[in-house]
Amino acid sequence: MIYTRGSSSDFNRFAKVTGDEGWSWNNIQKYIRKNERWTAPADNHNTAGQFDPAVHGFNGINAVSLSGFSHSTDSRIIQTTSELPEEFPFNLDMNSGNPLGLGWIQLTIDDGKRSSSATSYLASKFIKRPNLHVLLHTRVTRLLETSNSTDIEKPLINTVEFADESKREPRITLAASKEVILSAGVVGTPRILLNSGIGDPQDLRELGINPIVSLPDVGKNLSDQVALSNNWFVNSNNTLDNISTNATLRSELLEDWEKHKSGPLVSIASTHIAWSRLPSNSSIFDVIDDPASGENSPHYELGFEDGALGGPSGTGNFINIATIVVSPASRGTIKLHSSDPFDPPLIDPGYLTSEFDIFAMREAVQSARRFLAAPVWKDYVIGPAGGLANATTDDLLDKYIRQNAGSPAHPVGTAAMSAQNASFGVVDPDLQLKAVSGLRVVDASVMPFITAGHTQAPVYIIAERAADLIKEKWKIQ
């Protein structure tokens, strides 16, 4: 639910890599506005000084808001920006294109409920459109070349083969009159392409799949961030930990949310995020190029939670600071397990395979420690909890990271876009699949690099621009 667009440099890098200025920060602003509908928080508190209205849209389709529930730690977090302003400067709005600093979190929430693509783009007034049909429990198995294609150089792939997910047979085919839009996600899109014979010919032949289009980068370049949950004991009994340890309180809060859309369940546990870069003279840059898109793009994120997140079991009250490497250098792959389209694919996320990611995570944890060493936390924070308490050296900290890090579920890149005539990549800047006609990819897989933030907002931006590209090609008003 966290709404972060990334930095202006992220989109400017998209434009540079693809040779298409339409992906630049300035040019995607209209798509931000088409998607975003800024909404008052559930508690209707005064939001002055918590965001910048000038950088937001108020007439879009998907709701974006500030947290509708305040926490006892909010004032301490903001106070830290005054006590440690060099490392944690206050940022009025992290979605301005310049996210560095600490600010109030923005979320896709509407009146205490999640605002998602399902509740907005597939809301009742849209799902009833006569030209929209949603098939449930259905699996796309392959995309097929049309036999009557007249383009010798580019095969026409505009036929979809699918089947009932439980029965698997019979296989049904439908041909598009204009084009097929593939939006199966970072895992599903390359799986379908590979099963269709589109990918690395050698890999496909080894599985008994006949290659029809050579695009070796399908399923490569899997990019995901890596996250770590860090907990500290606190001198308070007023944290969200009470919800997980008190069944009666949970029931009361759920009832309050159901009846009034109020209380802590109207939002997530976090109200603030800090975005930071490694110092430019960090030793890691002697051996690895900076993977971030520019000087206004963070390397890591600190997310603050008023309670343990994936933390120690048992009683106690905690503060959590999630550390996330948002500009990772590690890369993974999506491959097929077999030629059976119902078999799950082989997913190798490649987490922490680059020394940069370990270095950045180590620095992020150290930054979190410095944050809680600010004077305002002196009588509040007792000490580190769980494995963090034993991570007293760099080697022990690295061990703690490798044993506890996981995914924030932000993968991108497995059908990456590149310039029109590039020898690498999977789709052109207009998101049409290279070397074929009739097929376009619209999902997070087309991002050549991960944006330095949570990926929900960039996917909406890509989808909104894709809609314009499609309408432009087919002259649809």
Side-chain angles (χ1 to χ4, degrees):
M1 282 183 280
I2 296 175
Y3 178 86
T4 56
R5 301 168 186 162
S7 71
S8 59
S9 296
D10 288 333
F11 288 91
N12 290 338
R13 179 163 65 171
F14 286 178
K16 182 177 180 180
V17 167
T18 62
D20 181 355
E21 280 300 308
W23 291 112
S24 69
W25 176 253
N26 287 340
N27 287 327
I28 55 97
Q29 291 304 305
K30 61 182 178 180
Y31 300 115
I32 291 174
R33 302 305 192 275
K34 285 182 72 174
N35 167 255
E36 183 186 24
R37 176 171 54 84
W38 186 268
T39 306
D43 61 358
N44 288 299
H45 73 267
N46 183 359
T47 59
Q50 296 183 356
F51 83 111
D52 182 1
V55 301
H56 289 278
F58 292 80
N59 300 302
I61 190 169
N62 205 50
V64 179
S65 184
L66 293 163
S67 175
F69 182 80
S70 61
H71 296 272
S72 61
T73 50
D74 289 354
S75 60
R76 294 178 189 269
I77 291 171
I78 294 299
Q79 179 62 26
T80 307
T81 66
S82 297
E83 295 179 348
L84 301 175
E86 290 190 8
E87 184 168 5
F88 304 105
F90 179 70
N91 185 333
L92 175 62
D93 201 307
M94 61 188 71
N95 281 314
S96 65
N98 294 295
L100 296 176
L102 185 154
W104 293 84
I105 199 169
Q106 297 175 16
L107 306 154
T108 48
I109 292 178
D110 187 6
D111 189 29
K113 305 183 298 295
R114 183 171 191 166
S115 179
S116 67
S117 57
T119 64
S120 56
Y121 289 89
L122 290 179
S124 56
K125 65 179 179 179
F126 301 118
I127 202 73
K128 294 177 181 178
R129 285 177 170 176
N131 63 344
L132 175 62
H133 303 271
V134 179
L135 300 182
L136 302 178
H137 311 299
T138 304
R139 172 74 64 90
V140 171
T141 51
R142 290 184 301 167
L143 301 169
L144 305 177
E145 183 177 359
T146 301
S147 58
N148 62 356
S149 175
T150 58
D151 192 331
I152 298 174
E153 294 184 0
K154 282 189 173 185
L156 174 63
I157 299 179
N158 69 342
T159 299
V160 180
E161 178 189 83
F162 59 95
D164 183 287
E165 212 163 28
S166 59
K167 297 177 182 178
R168 302 192 176 194
E169 297 290 346
R171 303 286 173 87
I172 302 166
T173 59
L174 282 177
S177 60
K178 291 183 173 66
E179 66 180 59
V180 171
I181 302 167
L182 179 57
S183 302
V186 175
V187 175
T189 284
R191 179 186 64 79
I192 292 171
L193 292 174
L194 293 169
N195 273 305
S196 306
I198 303 170
D200 187 314
Q202 182 177 342
D203 290 348
L204 295 172
R205 288 191 186 99
E206 289 176 357
L207 293 172
I209 298 173
N210 179 41
I212 60 172
V213 179
S214 176
L215 284 177
D217 287 340
V218 171
K220 311 291 173 58
N221 190 49
L222 174 59
S223 309
D224 194 8
Q225 297 158 350
V226 63
L228 182 64
S229 179
N230 310 281
N231 294 285
W232 285 259
F233 290 103
V234 297
N235 183 26
S236 171
N237 58 9
N238 183 27
T239 67
L240 293 178
D241 303 291
N242 299 332
I243 299 175
S244 60
T245 58
N246 187 327
T248 301
L249 176 61
R250 279 200 305 276
S251 297
E252 292 172 350
L253 292 175
L254 179 59
E255 183 179 4
D256 185 35
W257 178 82
E258 290 174 336
K259 289 182 177 180
H260 308 294
K261 294 299 180 287
S262 60
L265 300 187
V266 302
S267 188
I268 65 173
S270 180
T271 52
H272 300 82
I273 294 178
W275 309 92
S276 300
R277 286 181 58 82
L278 301 175
S280 58
N281 62 352
S282 294
S283 60
I284 193 66
F285 295 131
D286 294 335
V287 293
I288 296 177
D289 291 338
D290 187 350
S293 61
E295 293 184 357
N296 69 343
S297 285
H299 293 121
Y300 60 86
E301 165 191 347
L302 305 184
F304 308 95
E305 309 235 350
D306 184 22
L309 177 66
S313 58
T315 59
N317 293 87
F318 305 88
I319 186 172
N320 174 275
I321 301 182
T323 49
I324 304 176
V325 178
V326 294
S327 294
S330 300
R331 295 294 184 268
T333 59
I334 303 290
K335 295 184 176 183
L336 295 183
H337 180 263
S338 74
S339 60
D340 183 350
F342 288 91
D343 270 358
L346 300 174
I347 304 172
D348 177 9
Y351 295 131
L352 302 176
T353 51
S354 169
E355 186 58 32
F356 174 85
D357 296 0
I358 280 284
F359 186 97
M361 182 62 82
R362 187 191 311 136
E363 291 302 305
V365 175
Q366 300 287 26
S367 178
R369 287 168 166 167
R370 291 191 294 271
F371 184 88
L372 293 180
V376 70
W377 301 100
K378 181 179 179 181
D379 298 323
Y380 187 80
V381 175
I382 297 172
L388 181 62
N390 300 319
T392 54
T393 67
D394 280 355
D395 287 344
L396 289 173
L397 181 54
D398 288 355
K399 182 179 179 181
Y400 163 74
I401 291 169
R402 290 191 180 278
Q403 289 179 341
N404 295 279
S407 170
H410 300 155
V412 307
T414 52
M417 58 180 169
S418 62
Q420 189 83 29
N421 298 315
S423 60
F424 61 92
V426 178
V427 300
D428 284 333
D430 60 2
L431 309 183
Q432 294 188 93
L433 199 76
K434 292 178 179 293
V436 309
S437 59
L439 179 57
R440 197 184 307 252
V441 178
V442 184
D443 58 35
S445 69
V446 305
M447 295 165 63
F449 302 93
I450 196 164
T451 50
H454 300 238
T455 50
Q456 174 187 195
V459 170
Y460 283 130
I461 293 167
I462 289 168
E464 286 288 3
R465 184 172 189 229
D468 271 6
L469 291 169
I470 293 165
K471 288 186 289 185
E472 180 183 355
K473 177 175 180 177
W474 299 106
K475 296 179 173 56
I476 300 171
Q477 296 299 320

